[in-house]
Amino acid sequence: MSDCMDIATKPAHAPAEHPPVALGKVGVLLINLGTPEALTTGAVRKYLAEFLSDRRVVDYPALVWQPVLRGIILNTRPAKTKKAYAEIWDQETGESPLRRYTREQAEKLAARMPEGVHVDWAMRYGVPGTAETLDRMQAAGCDRILLVPLYPQYSATTTGTACDAAYAWAMKKPWMPAFRTMPAFHDDDGLIEALADTCRRHTDETTERVILSFHGLPERYFKQGDPYHCHCQKTARLMREKLGWTTEFAPLAFQSKFGPETWLGPSTEDLVEEAAKEGLKNIAVITPGFVSDCIETLEEVGLGLAETFEEHGGESLKAIPCLNSSDAFIDLLERLCLRELQGWVAS
């Protein structure tokens, strides 16, 4: 992966005395949600403080929310979250799975891009941050940058805030680069085929149900105009059509509820319990809203919901892997990026 640290050059047709200036390059920035920098309580607390202070994520009035966040949540939740991360932490690379896969995606995509296109990656929360990565890209001469939020389905809480961070950085620059933003790709044929192929490889005739589990969202966001729920429904429908599955065999559900208000439903946990109570013994859960395995897929589903299923009489719950840095996902990213880069790079 290019680190975008090219030496500045003199602009074309500049007068002889013009100083070297870094410009004229195209950048691609992959952005994912975020992760603690290290497996420590302090790093987890810092990450949660940034994440849960984002008004796109929790939009309660600051005078109400911040005392709860600072006085209760950040004093109780970090230890529990650290323990969950410890269950899935990549000891070989010393990073979380989300960080590892995002880095690998950028490295592999960089090898596919046309000469002169720089690929980098950042986290909305945590390290490497969006601002520091954009600083590096601009210093290298990237004056046109494609932002690629790694979320197939748009939500203000994910894609929206990822772009917010980039725009906030640009607002402080006397010379800001031109931005393009990758649109939602929830119904892209390549995504649906890649997800379907993953399902085929991780299910067989013993699989009695496959729950299509998406990250949850407060219901009022949908009522306010956030298209996330519709995007999830379409992804699920297209997957069923591709695989020849019924809604009974492959129901849609939402996970990771947080806080007291009403969230989109049904909940994944409820459907897992119901499957066990119906007498099903072998089920699977796929998370089509996540392109990389992370704490929500590996720990919440792969460990937590598997345990829930067994406690209610089931035998085996398989967490189907995300696309991660597979060839199928890099193929998809390459095609989508080249489409969005038209006019900036030679076709």
Side-chain angles (χ1 to χ4, degrees), residues 124-142:
R124 174 61 182 88
Y125 318 105
V127 178
T130 303
E132 66 187 77
T133 305
L134 285 169
D135 277 337
R136 181 169 63 247
M137 296 177 76
Q138 187 177 49
C142 295

Side-chain angles (χ1 to χ4, degrees), residues 144-210:
R144 289 154 294 166
I145 299 174
L146 172 64
L147 305 176
V148 184
L150 292 170
Y151 312 102
Q153 302 80 20
Y154 175 92
S155 173
T157 62
T158 52
T159 303
T161 190
C163 295
D164 286 348
Y167 302 151
W169 169 86
M171 288 173 64
K172 301 175 183 177
K173 299 296 174 180
W175 188 358
M176 61 179 284
F179 281 143
R180 290 180 180 176
T181 305
M182 180 78 75
F185 51 98
H186 60 291
D187 55 358
D188 185 89
D189 289 343
L191 173 70
I192 301 305
E193 180 54 45
L195 291 170
D197 183 62
T198 300
C199 287
R200 295 185 192 103
R201 289 186 287 106
H202 290 90
T203 60
D204 55 31
E205 64 278 356
T206 67
T207 306
E208 298 168 283
R209 184 167 296 165
V210 179

Side-chain angles (χ1 to χ4, degrees), residues 79-272:
K80 181 179 179 181
T81 302
K82 176 192 170 185
K83 182 178 179 181
Y85 270 108
E87 297 279 359
I88 63 165
W89 202 257
D90 191 322
Q91 298 297 335
E92 181 178 346
T93 64
E95 57 193 338
S96 71
L98 178 65
R99 180 185 169 94
R100 172 195 165 186
Y101 288 126
T102 306
R103 173 176 53 78
E104 289 179 353
Q105 289 159 359
E107 292 169 350
K108 291 184 177 183
L109 180 63
R112 304 275 197 96
M113 288 289 98
E115 184 178 357
V117 175
H118 295 279
V119 179
D120 214 323
W121 61 284
M123 295 293 172
R124 174 61 182 88
Y125 318 105
V127 178
T130 303
E132 66 187 77
T133 305
L134 285 169
D135 277 337
R136 181 169 63 247
M137 296 177 76
Q138 187 177 49
C142 295
D143 57 17
R144 289 154 294 166
I145 299 174
L146 172 64
L147 305 176
V148 184
L150 292 170
Y151 312 102
Q153 302 80 20
Y154 175 92
S155 173
T157 62
T158 52
T159 303
T161 190
C163 295
D164 286 348
Y167 302 151
W169 169 86
M171 288 173 64
K172 301 175 183 177
K173 299 296 174 180
W175 188 358
M176 61 179 284
F179 281 143
R180 290 180 180 176
T181 305
M182 180 78 75
F185 51 98
H186 60 291
D187 55 358
D188 185 89
D189 289 343
L191 173 70
I192 301 305
E193 180 54 45
L195 291 170
D197 183 62
T198 300
C199 287
R200 295 185 192 103
R201 289 186 287 106
H202 290 90
T203 60
D204 55 31
E205 64 278 356
T206 67
T207 306
E208 298 168 283
R209 184 167 296 165
V210 179
I211 298 173
L212 311 181
S213 181
F214 296 83
H215 198 286
L217 191 71
E219 194 175 89
R220 63 184 171 84
Y221 284 57
F222 167 64
K223 295 179 179 178
Q224 291 168 355
D226 193 304
Y228 179 71
H229 182 260
C230 299
H231 285 187
C232 294
Q233 292 283 356
K234 189 170 186 181
T235 300
R237 174 175 61 80
L238 293 174
M239 287 179 65
R240 294 190 199 104
E241 291 175 358
K242 178 70 71 172
L243 290 158
W245 289 350
T246 65
T247 54
E248 290 73 25
F249 179 79
L252 177 149
F254 295 93
Q255 64 183 82
S256 309
K257 182 180 184 297
F258 175 78
E261 64 181 306
T262 302
W263 280 47
L264 298 175
S267 79
T268 305
E269 183 174 8
D270 287 348
L271 293 194
V272 166

Side-chain angles (χ1 to χ4, degrees), residues 45 64-78:
R45 181 180 292 109
V64 175
W65 173 242
Q66 283 299 319
V68 174
L69 176 63
R70 305 288 171 176
I72 301 175
I73 295 174
L74 293 181
N75 288 315
T76 58
R77 189 166 176 178

